Amino acid sequence: MGTKIGYTFIQSNRAWLPKALVLWIMGMAFISMSIYRGMDEENKIRRKEVLGSMCDQRARMLQDQFNVTVNHVHALTILVSTFHYFKNPSALDQDTFAEYTTRTAFERPLLSGVAYAPRVVDAQREQFERQHGMTITTMKSEPSPIRDEYAPVMFYQEPMSHVKSLDMMSGEEDRENILRARATGKAVLTRPFRLLGSHHLGVVLTFPVYKSKLPPRSTVEERIKATAGYIGGPFDVESLVENLLGQLAGNQAILVNVYDMTNASDPLIIYHQKASTPWTALTTAFFLFVIGLLVGYILYGAAIHIVKVEDDFHKMQELKVRAEAADVAKSQFLATVSHEIRTPMNGILGMLALLLDTDLSSTQRDYAQTAQICGKALIALINEVLDRAKIEARKLELEAVLFNLRAILDDVLSLFSEKSRNKGIELAVFVSDKVPEFVLGDPGRFRQIITNLVGNSVKFTERGHIFVKVHLAERTMVKTDAKDETLLNGGTEEGVCRSGTGQFNTLSGLEAADGRNSWDKFKHLIDAEGFQSNASIINMMASNGGSEDVTLMVCVEDTGIGIPLSAQERVFMPFMQADSSTSRHYGGTGIGLSISKCLVELMRGQISFVSRPQVGSTFSFTAVFGKCKEYVFEDIKQSKSEDLPPGFKGLKAVVVDEKPVRAAVTQYHLNRLGIMVKMSSSIKDASSTAKNGLTSSEDKFQPDIILVEKDCWISGEDSGFNAQLLDWKPNGHVFKLPKLILLATNISKDECDKAKAGGFADTVIMKPLRASMIAACLQQVLSTENKRQAGRGVPNGSSFHQGLLRGKKILVVDDNGVNRMVAAGALKKFGATVECAASAKAALDKLQSPHCFDACFMDIQMPEMDGFEATRRIRQMESKANEQMMNGGSSVDGTAKRDELHLPILAMTADVIHATFDECLKCGMDGYVSKPFEEENLYRELAKFFKSKPLSAFIKMRQGPGAFELVILGLKLIERFSWNQSLSLPQEPHSWVRVPLLGLD
Amino acid sequence: MDVVSQLQKQFIDFSSSLYREGYVDDQFSQLHKLQDESSPDFVVEVASLFFDDAEKLINSMARALEQPCVDFKQVDSHVHQLKGSSSSIGALRVKNVCIAFRSFCDAQNREGCMRCLQQVSHEYTMLKSKLQTLFRMEQQILAAGGSVPLE
C-alpha cells in the first residue's frame, strides 16, 4: 500500500466490521438450516421409499397370513360339522375343542382366538339351555331377551372364555356378520369395532357351519336352512399391526400412524409410534454452523488486526515524518548555531591575538595562549560539526574540478611537518606514477580526508613513521593475494619480519599493521609501473581511454598505538573514540573519522582499516575520480602546476638509503622534478657508482647530486666516508663535483655541525620531503640562477597579480560606498578597469546588453533589491538576449563574441557559511568572495575563475566524452591561432567540430 | 634625516598601537597594500569616505532612535551599512560594537541600542581622531622628504 492511498478498503469500512460479522453469522445459520432441511428431506424421501417397499412386503405377508387363517377357520368349520353334527353322539366337547384350537393356534397367526356358537332358534332355547346347563346371555351379560334365534358360544379357545354362552346375535356387528355369513356361506368380516373384553379395535371373522353337505350351487334359503352354527374369531388389529410394523419402525426414525380410512372424513388412528430425531443431519448442520461461526470470527479478527496494523502503520509513518523533520531541524539547528558561534568566536580569537601582542606577564601570556589554542580547537570542532550536520542533511555536494593530487598531498604533509619533526616521526608520501597528475573531483574534501587520517596518525604515533601511499585501486586488487589476508588484524608475523635483525621493510623499519605495505608488495608496485610505463604506455592509454573514472587507493600507515580490537568496530561511529581515556590523553572528538567515511562514500569509495594494538594502524580508502583527458593536461599544467620549477630536468641523482621504501619515496619526489634517480643501499656503492660514472664512458650514470639518508650516513661514518669522498675529489676528470645533501627527519645541532664537517656542507633537507621543498633546496644548492623561475615559482609579489585582470572591465555593485571603494581598489590592483554601481537597479541599467563588462562583483545584502534577485534578473536578460541571437541568425559582428552570453557574477558576502554559497549558485552566480577582501583570498578566487574558466565552463556542459575532447581541442586550436588571425569558424556545431580534427596532426 | 627617522619611528609606534588597541585590524593593512603610485591617496580617500558615511549613518541612527516608536528595521539596516563599511576599512572596534548593536536591534531593545549608539559614536570619534593623527603624521613624513614606512 502506498503512502498516497492512505487507507485500504478494510480500513475505510472499519465501522461496518461488526455488522458484517453479525450478517455473516446469520447467513451461516440460514445456510446450515437449509442444509439441515435438505438433508432431512432427502432422508424422508429415502425412508418413504423404504417404507413403501416394506409396507408392500408386509401387506403381502398379511394377506398370506390372512388367507391361511381364513383357510384354517374354514377347516375348523369342517371339523365342527364333521365331529359335532355328523357323529352321534357328538365327538366334540368343550375340552376337545379348546385343546385342539389351542394346539393349532399357530395356524391362525392373526386370530387371537376362535369360538363356536350353534344356531339356536327360540323354540329350542329351553332344551338347549337345559342340555348344556347354561343361560344364553347378551353381550352385556344379561339373560337374553326372547328372539327368533340365538347364537350362544358353546366352544371356545381358552383365551376367549369370557364369551362363553354369550349370544353372538345380540351384538350389532356380530349379528350382521352372522347373517351375511350364513347367506353367503363364506368367511365374512365385520368393520372394526371395540372388541369385547379387550378394548382394542378389532374385526371379527365369521364362518357358517352347515349340518349337511350343501350342493355347490345352493341357494341362500338352502344355506340358511342348513346352517347349524358359526365359528368366529376376532382379529385384534392393534396388536396385529404392532406385530407387523414393530420391527419395521424399530431401527428407523419413523413416526408411524396407521389410520383406518374407511371413513375418510374421520381417520381413525389405529397405530402410533414416535419417530426418532435425525441426529446426523442435525449434527452436520450444527457443525457447519459452528465452522461458519469460527470462520466468520477469524475473518473478523483478521480484519480488526489489519485495521490495527494499518493504524499503527499510519501512526509510524507520521512519527517517521516527524522524526525526519526533527532530524532536519537538528541539522539546521546545528548549522545555524555553529554559524552563530563562529562569528563571536572569531571576535574572541581576534581579541586574543591582540591581547597576545600586548605586554603580558609570562603567566598571562600562557593563559592567553591556552585560551587561543582552545578557541582554535573549538572553531575546528564547530567546522567539523557543521560538516557532519551538512552530510546528515545530505546537503554536502562534491565539486568536480581538476586538481593536482600530488600537490594536495604535499600541502597536507607540510601541515604536519612541524609536528612530526618534533615527535621524530618519519612522514612520507608516495604517489604511484600511474595515478594521473590531474583528476576531476573535490580537492577540498579529498584534502580533508587525508588531513583527518594523517592528523589522527600523527596524534597517535610516538615513534616510527607515517606513510601515505596513493595508487590505482585496480592494481592492488590483483596484488592482494591470500597470504596477505592471513596477516591482517593480528595474524602471524613471520611474513613481515624478513631480515634477521628484526627490522621490517617498512618506511622506518618498524613493523606496520598491514603487511601489504611492506617492501615486497611495494617493490612489485614500482617494478610493474616501471615496466608498464616503458613498454606499454600506449596500450595503457588505449585501455584506460574507455573509462571515464579512475579509482584511487589511498593508504595511510602509521606505527602508532593502534586501535584496541574491542573498539575497532566503533571507529567510524561519530563521537566515538577507542576509549574515553584516549580522548583525555590525546584530545579530539572522534568526529573526524565518521566525516571521512561519509566523504569517502560520497566519492563512491570505501574506507577500511587494519590495526594491531601497539603495532600501528593502516587506514586505506578508495575514491573514484573523474579522469582528465591527455589534451586537457597541458592546458592546465601551464596554469596550475607552476609550483614545480622545471629547471631540474635531466639532472641525475643518487639516493643512498638502506631502506628501499624510504628510498622509493625520495625517488618519487625527485622524479617529479624530472631528476633521474639511481638508488644504492650504502655509501660505498654510491661512491663506486659515481666513480664509474666519472671514469668510464659518458653514457654511464654520472650523478649531479647525492642524497644521503641520515641513518646511512651515521652508520657509514665509521667506515670512513670522508676518506672515500677525499678519494673521489682529486679525480681529474671532474668538472662538477656531485653535491652532497643530507636527508634527515630531525637533526640535532651537534649532528648538523658534524655533517657540515663531514662534507655535507651543501645542505640538509629536513623531512618530510615535498617536491617543492626539494626544489627550493636544490635551487639553493645548485644555485642555478633561474630568475624567471624564481619569480614564477613563488607567486608572492604583486607584480605577479597584476596581469590577472589586465584589460578586464569589472562592475562592482554595492550599496556601501566604502565597500565599493575598497573593492574597486583591490580589483584595480589586479589591473582591472572598475566601474561601480551603488544599487542593484543601477547595475541592471549598466548591464543592459550589449555591455562590455567581463565580470561583476555583487553584494548580496542590499536595500530594495538584493544580490540574488539582481543576478536572477541579469540571467533572465542574458537568456533573452541569447534566444534572440539564436533566432536572429548569426550576430552582426560575429567576431570574438562567444555564442552564449554569460557574465561571470561573483557574490561578495560577509557570510562564510556554505549555505549562502549554495544560494549563490542557485540563483546563477558563478562564485563568491568573502568580505572584507583579502588580497590573497581574492586572488585565489579570481585565479580560479579567470584562468581556468574556459575549461571549467566546458567541463560543466560536457555531454559526451567525444564531444568534450573535441571542444577542448578546438579551444586549444583557437588559442593557438588566436582570434586576430581571422580564423573564422562556421557557426554550426557539427562543422565546428571538424575544424579541430583537421588540426590534429 | 634625523627628523625623518624620528617621525618614522613615531609613526610606526602610533600605528602599531592602533593595531594593538584594536582600533584597526589586518584589513587596514590590506588597504595600505592597495595603495600604490596610481592611487597614492587611496587610504585617505577611503577613510574620508568612511568618515562621511559613518557620520551620516550615526546621525540617522540617532534620529531613528529618538522617534517615539522606533523602526528597528531601519536602525538595523543603518547598522548593517556601518558594519559593512567598518569591516571594509578594518575599523575593528566600530565593527564589534556594530555586531552587538545589531543583536540589540534584533531583540528590539531600545536601551541597548541607545547604549550601543553612544559606544559607536564614541568609537567612531576616537577612530577618526586617531586616523587623522596617523594621516597627519604621514603628511609630515612626506613633507620632511621621507617615505612612509610599511608595517
Side-chain angles (χ1 to χ4, degrees):
Chain A
M1 60 198 84
T3 46
K4 292 256 171 86
I5 297 166
Y7 292 94
T8 55
F9 176 74
I10 294 177
Q11 183 79 346
S12 52
N13 293 319
R14 57 196 304 168
W16 288 93
L17 285 179
K19 287 176 196 170
L21 179 69
V22 169
L23 213 68
W24 169 266
I25 289 172
M26 276 161 64
M28 281 316 290
F30 178 73
I31 288 173
S32 44
M33 211 112 92
S34 56
I35 283 177
Y36 169 72
R37 284 226 185 95
M39 280 176 76
D40 203 33
E41 205 65 37
E42 203 180 324
N43 251 357
K44 271 182 189 161
I45 289 168
R46 206 174 58 236
R47 260 186 244 151
K48 242 180 216 166
E49 279 167 9
V50 172
L51 197 64
S53 69
M54 270 178 159
C55 285
D56 284 350
Q57 198 186 344
R58 295 293 149 144
R60 270 198 306 278
M61 225 161 84
L62 200 61
Q63 187 77 45
D64 288 351
Q65 287 185 350
F66 183 76
N67 285 345
V68 168
T69 307
V70 170
N71 283 347
H72 198 258
V73 173
H74 195 194
L76 272 182
T77 62
I78 307 276
L79 177 94
V80 169
S81 65
T82 310
F83 289 100
H84 190 63
Y85 291 103
F86 297 164
K87 285 267 171 68
N88 211 0
S90 164
L92 209 62
D93 59 3
Q94 166 60 29
D95 292 341
T96 319
F97 187 84
E99 173 82 12
Y100 180 76
T101 48
T102 307
R103 287 177 67 177
T104 55
F106 66 91
E107 291 276 16
R108 306 175 302 274
L110 298 183
L111 282 183
S112 45
V114 285
Y116 171 68
R119 181 185 179 198
V120 178
V121 285
D122 193 40
Q124 299 168 337
R125 177 177 167 171
E126 276 177 47
Q127 185 199 348
F128 180 82
E129 282 181 341
R130 222 178 316 120
Q131 189 179 345
H132 291 281
M134 63 179 178
T135 317
I136 297 169
T137 54
T138 62
M139 291 288 181
K140 288 158 186 157
S141 306
E142 305 161 343
S144 174
I146 292 163
R147 294 171 182 239
D148 289 350
E149 50 184 310
Y150 308 95
V153 175
M154 199 164 72
F155 303 135
Y156 49 88
Q157 205 182 333
E158 268 315 311
M160 308 268 293
S161 56
H162 58 279
V163 296
K164 183 190 170 190
S165 75
L166 283 186
D167 180 14
M168 284 297 141
M169 298 285 267
S170 62
E172 183 75 16
E173 287 89 359
D174 290 322
R175 181 188 162 82
E176 254 171 51
N177 223 27
I178 288 169
L179 291 181
R180 232 168 358 121
R182 137 178 120 178
T184 56
K186 289 176 184 167
V188 175
L189 287 172
T190 62
R191 61 185 176 81
F193 65 99
R194 297 272 160 208
L195 288 179
L196 200 67
S198 76
H199 289 283
H200 291 177
L201 272 179
V203 180
V204 174
L205 172 81
T206 311
F207 235 99
V209 178
Y210 296 105
K211 280 186 270 199
S212 54
K213 282 179 187 146
L214 284 175
R217 289 169 188 254
S218 55
T219 60
V220 177
E221 286 81 28
E222 281 174 341
R223 283 194 210 112
I224 295 172
K225 223 176 157 190
T227 303
Y230 325 97
I231 283 193
F235 289 97
D236 184 341
V237 176
E238 221 157 299
S239 51
L240 182 130
V241 169
E242 193 167 59
N243 259 354
L244 278 178
L245 301 186
Q247 66 246 77
L248 179 88
N251 47 3
Q252 295 280 349
I254 308 178
L255 172 71
V256 183
N257 282 319
V258 179
Y259 299 97
D260 176 10
M261 296 299 287
T262 329
N263 188 354
S265 62
D266 176 27
L268 198 58
I269 295 180
I270 29 183
Y271 181 78
H272 173 83
Q273 189 184 3
K274 252 188 152 171
S276 67
T277 33
W279 284 113
T280 344
L282 209 61
T283 44
T284 311
F286 180 70
F287 277 119
L288 207 75
F289 177 68
V290 168
I291 288 170
L293 205 68
L294 288 177
V295 167
Y297 185 73
I298 288 167
L299 286 179
Y300 176 72
I304 293 283
H305 189 69
I306 288 174
V307 166
K308 191 169 169 297
V309 166
E310 270 173 21
D311 277 353
D312 287 353
F313 170 72
H314 287 298
K315 215 185 285 169
M316 291 302 161
Q317 231 172 11
E318 198 184 312
L319 287 178
K320 183 175 160 254
V321 168
R322 270 162 59 189
E324 278 168 354
D327 195 44
V328 169
K330 184 203 79 180
S331 298
Q332 270 169 358
F333 170 77
L334 271 179
T336 328
V337 165
S338 309
H339 181 223
E340 292 301 322
I341 294 172
R342 265 210 301 212
T343 322
M345 269 314 286
N346 282 331
I348 294 172
L349 284 178
M351 284 302 162
L352 280 172
L354 286 175
L355 183 65
L356 281 171
D357 284 344
T358 55
D359 286 334
L360 294 174
S361 73
S362 60
T363 344
Q364 286 169 332
R365 182 167 297 275
D366 184 42
Y367 292 164
Q369 269 168 347
T370 315
Q372 196 182 27
I373 290 166
C374 293
K376 276 179 182 161
L378 182 56
I379 284 277
L381 173 63
I382 288 168
N383 286 341
E384 278 182 343
V385 169
L386 199 61
D387 268 352
R388 176 83 217 167
K390 224 185 292 172
I391 289 168
E392 268 172 18
R394 308 205 180 288
K395 281 200 183 128
L396 192 79
E397 276 172 18
L398 293 183
E399 281 185 85
V401 295
L402 284 176
F403 68 97
N404 186 337
L405 201 102
R406 290 172 176 79
I408 284 194
L409 288 169
D410 279 358
D411 279 0
V412 174
L413 237 61
S414 69
L415 264 181
F416 294 101
S417 58
E418 182 76 22
K419 253 190 208 163
S420 68
R421 238 177 261 155
N422 289 344
K423 280 186 163 184
I425 310 168
E426 183 126 24
L427 181 60
V429 64
F430 176 86
V431 181
S432 138
D433 289 344
K434 282 201 66 184
V435 175
E437 193 169 356
F438 288 93
V439 288
L440 199 63
D442 192 328
R445 298 299 175 185
F446 181 69
R447 177 205 291 262
Q448 193 179 357
I449 300 171
I450 301 272
T451 312
N452 252 326
L453 294 179
V454 176
N456 267 351
S457 290
V458 170
K459 207 190 286 174
F460 294 118
T461 306
E462 300 298 337
R463 72 203 163 97
H465 68 264
I466 294 159
F467 185 26
V468 184
K469 197 172 55 147
V470 183
H471 45 81
L472 292 185
E474 290 84 0
R475 181 172 299 282
T476 35
M477 299 297 189
V478 184
K479 297 273 182 234
T480 316
D481 49 35
K483 194 186 113 203
D484 291 326
E485 296 304 324
T486 60
L487 287 170
L488 300 185
N489 287 331
T492 56
E493 293 178 11
E494 289 154 283
V496 189
C497 180
R498 280 172 72 252
S499 58
T501 57
Q503 284 265 308
F504 291 89
N505 254 318
T506 57
L507 190 71
S508 65
L510 286 168
E511 186 185 4
D514 189 350
R516 281 178 293 186
N517 272 3
S518 70
W519 174 239
D520 276 354
K521 295 293 148 199
F522 201 59
K523 196 166 59 181
H524 278 307
L525 211 77
I526 297 169
D527 286 350
E529 255 152 35
F531 171 72
Q532 280 219 335
S533 57
N534 293 337
S536 55
I537 276 192
I538 299 157
N539 265 352
M540 216 186 75
M541 294 309 296
S543 63
N544 286 353
S547 68
E548 287 271 297
D549 293 332
V550 56
T551 309
L552 296 185
M553 173 88 160
V554 183
C555 298
V556 179
E557 169 190 291
D558 68 53
T559 56
I561 58 167
I563 302 165
L565 291 174
S566 59
Q568 287 195 354
E569 57 206 42
R570 286 181 289 142
V571 161
F572 292 116
M573 272 151 86
F575 300 108
M576 279 287 183
Q577 281 192 329
D579 60 73
S580 46
S581 67
T582 317
S583 53
R584 240 172 288 137
H585 192 243
Y586 295 98
T589 55
I591 201 174
L593 277 177
S594 82
I595 292 176
S596 299
K597 183 164 192 275
C598 293
L599 290 175
V600 165
E601 275 158 13
L602 277 174
M603 291 181 181
R604 292 181 285 156
Q606 284 164 332
I607 189 164
S608 64
F609 67 94
V610 174
S611 181
R612 282 194 281 161
Q614 306 312 322
V615 172
S617 317
T618 302
F619 278 84
S620 40
F621 70 89
T622 57
V624 181
F625 290 105
K627 211 179 230 170
C628 189
K629 297 287 180 255
E630 269 297 290
Y631 325 107
V632 191
F633 278 1
E634 288 166 26
D635 267 6
I636 309 161
K637 263 183 192 161
Q638 280 154 18
S639 63
K640 285 204 174 171
S641 60
E642 304 276 82
D643 53 339
L644 293 185
F648 304 106
K649 265 206 179 93
L651 288 186
K652 300 183 183 85
V654 173
V655 173
V656 183
D657 195 341
E658 59 193 352
K659 294 207 178 99
V661 179
R662 197 161 54 183
V665 171
T666 315
Q667 185 190 18
Y668 150 72
H669 286 291
L670 291 174
N671 277 345
R672 281 173 64 192
L673 293 170
I675 300 173
M676 280 160 64
V677 177
K678 221 172 192 187
M679 294 200 252
S680 69
S681 57
S682 72
I683 293 177
K684 227 180 261 173
D685 284 359
S687 55
S688 62
T689 317
K691 260 181 236 165
N692 284 344
L694 293 175
T695 48
S696 54
S697 59
E698 290 91 54
D699 57 274
K700 288 277 180 165
F701 194 83
Q702 186 203 338
D704 301 297
I705 317 153
I706 297 178
L707 295 113
V708 184
E709 186 64 34
K710 196 184 90 181
D711 298 348
C712 266
W713 166 61
I714 288 170
S715 62
E717 204 173 21
D718 306 326
S719 58
F721 178 53
N722 292 350
Q724 286 179 23
L725 269 178
L726 290 177
D727 268 3
W728 205 355
K729 272 185 174 164
N731 198 315
H733 300 81
V734 189
F735 325 112
K736 202 165 63 176
L737 260 177
K739 301 285 181 188
L740 284 173
I741 296 174
L742 190 66
L743 299 172
T745 311
N746 52 349
I747 193 161
S748 63
K749 193 90 178 69
D750 287 355
E751 283 174 326
C752 190
D753 292 344
K754 212 190 272 176
K756 281 209 171 113
F760 293 102
D762 301 320
T763 195
V764 176
I765 295 184
M766 294 295 285
K767 289 193 184 173
L769 292 180
R770 273 176 295 139
S772 55
M773 196 180 64
I774 296 177
C777 288
L778 289 183
Q779 222 154 30
Q780 187 193 334
V781 171
L782 300 170
S783 54
T784 41
E785 306 299 331
N786 203 333
K787 295 284 192 247
R788 183 176 53 84
Q789 234 118 60
R792 284 179 73 189
V794 196
N796 207 5
S798 24
S799 59
F800 179 66
H801 291 172
Q802 290 246 324
L804 185 65
L805 294 178
R806 183 159 307 290
K808 298 271 200 290
K809 199 167 172 194
I810 291 176
L811 180 67
V812 173
V813 189
D814 198 326
D815 59 319
N816 190 317
V818 179
N819 286 354
R820 213 156 53 218
M821 192 164 177
V822 174
L827 290 170
K828 271 178 193 155
K829 190 86 175 171
F830 292 123
T833 321
V834 181
E835 250 186 67
C836 295
S839 72
K841 283 232 170 81
L844 284 176
D845 288 343
K846 289 199 182 200
L847 287 173
Q848 289 294 340
S849 61
H851 59 76
C852 49
F853 290 102
D854 295 291
C856 173
F857 282 76
M858 179 84 72
D859 186 31
I860 292 199
Q861 274 198 348
M862 284 187 289
E864 288 176 56
M865 189 193 294
D866 65 4
F868 296 135
E869 180 58 31
T871 309
R872 251 173 246 132
R873 295 213 182 167
I874 293 169
R875 292 294 177 237
Q876 271 170 18
M877 269 157 48
E878 279 174 355
S879 62
K880 216 177 277 173
N882 285 337
E883 258 171 50
Q884 275 175 5
M885 254 169 70
M886 288 288 210
N887 296 341
S890 57
S891 56
V892 187
D893 45 357
T895 48
K897 283 271 180 205
R898 234 184 288 139
D899 313 17
E900 287 269 313
L901 269 183
H902 184 94
L903 179 75
I905 299 176
L906 288 108
M908 295 190 289
T909 168
D911 264 336
V912 276
I913 191 166
H914 251 70
T916 318
F917 180 50
D918 293 342
E919 181 81 42
C920 291
L921 291 188
K922 215 181 284 169
C923 69
M925 292 185 174
D926 301 271
Y928 80 111
V929 289
S930 53
K931 269 196 307 194
F933 286 143
E934 265 176 46
E935 202 178 3
E936 290 301 323
N937 205 344
L938 184 62
Y939 172 74
R940 209 179 315 136
E941 281 300 321
L942 286 173
K944 187 156 67 176
F945 210 76
F946 283 94
K947 277 198 164 173
S948 57
K949 190 172 53 92
L951 269 180
S952 59
F954 276 101
I955 288 167
K956 265 180 197 160
M957 58 166 271
R958 102 181 136 162
Q959 284 139 344
F964 167 58
E965 280 165 39
L966 289 172
V967 168
I968 298 295
L969 250 182
L971 276 177
K972 279 180 65 187
L973 263 183
I974 292 160
E975 251 172 43
R976 196 171 298 161
F977 287 110
S978 82
W979 283 102
N980 50 18
Q981 290 192 353
S982 73
L983 174 79
S984 61
L985 292 179
Q987 290 284 328
E988 301 88 334
H990 292 294
S991 45
W992 209 81
V993 168
R994 215 176 299 133
V995 178
L997 274 177
L998 291 174
L1000 254 178
D1001 45 3
Chain B
M1 279 325 260
D2 200 29
V3 183
V4 173
S5 64
Q6 209 170 4
L7 280 173
Q8 280 177 339
K9 189 173 178 312
Q10 267 180 12
F11 177 81
I12 288 170
D13 282 350
F14 186 70
S15 76
S16 62
S17 80
L18 284 185
Y19 285 103
R20 206 169 46 234
E21 285 158 32
Y23 284 106
V24 292
D25 63 6
D26 194 41
Q27 188 61 30
F28 191 64
S29 61
Q30 291 275 345
L31 222 54
H32 275 284
K33 281 189 198 157
L34 295 180
Q35 179 171 287
D36 54 15
E37 306 80 49
S38 62
S39 54
D41 292 330
F42 182 71
V43 178
V44 179
E45 278 168 22
V46 173
S48 58
L49 181 65
F50 169 71
F51 292 144
D52 293 350
D53 209 31
E55 210 148 328
K56 262 183 246 157
L57 286 170
I58 289 173
N59 285 337
S60 30
M61 278 181 232
R63 258 203 310 284
L65 282 171
E66 275 163 17
Q67 299 292 319
C69 106
V70 181
D71 182 358
F72 281 103
K73 267 207 178 126
Q74 178 71 32
V75 180
D76 185 60
S77 78
H78 289 317
V79 182
H80 175 68
Q81 286 275 343
L82 185 60
K83 182 181 154 233
S85 36
S86 55
S87 80
S88 269
I89 202 173
L92 186 61
R93 284 188 168 196
V94 178
K95 190 180 94 177
N96 287 342
V97 179
C98 283
I99 291 171
F101 203 155
R102 286 197 79 181
S103 62
F104 282 122
C105 283
D106 277 350
Q108 310 228 328
N109 181 342
R110 189 172 180 158
E111 279 302 300
C113 284
M114 292 303 280
R115 214 165 40 241
C116 280
L117 180 67
Q118 279 171 6
Q119 277 179 27
V120 162
S121 63
H122 172 70
E123 291 295 345
Y124 161 71
T125 36
M126 289 287 283
L127 179 73
K128 187 172 180 180
S129 71
K130 295 265 182 193
L131 285 187
Q132 276 169 348
T133 318
L134 190 76
F135 295 146
R136 212 167 37 242
M137 288 165 92
E138 265 185 39
Q139 294 299 325
Q140 283 172 0
I141 294 171
L142 289 175
S147 64
V148 180
L150 287 172
E151 63 275 22

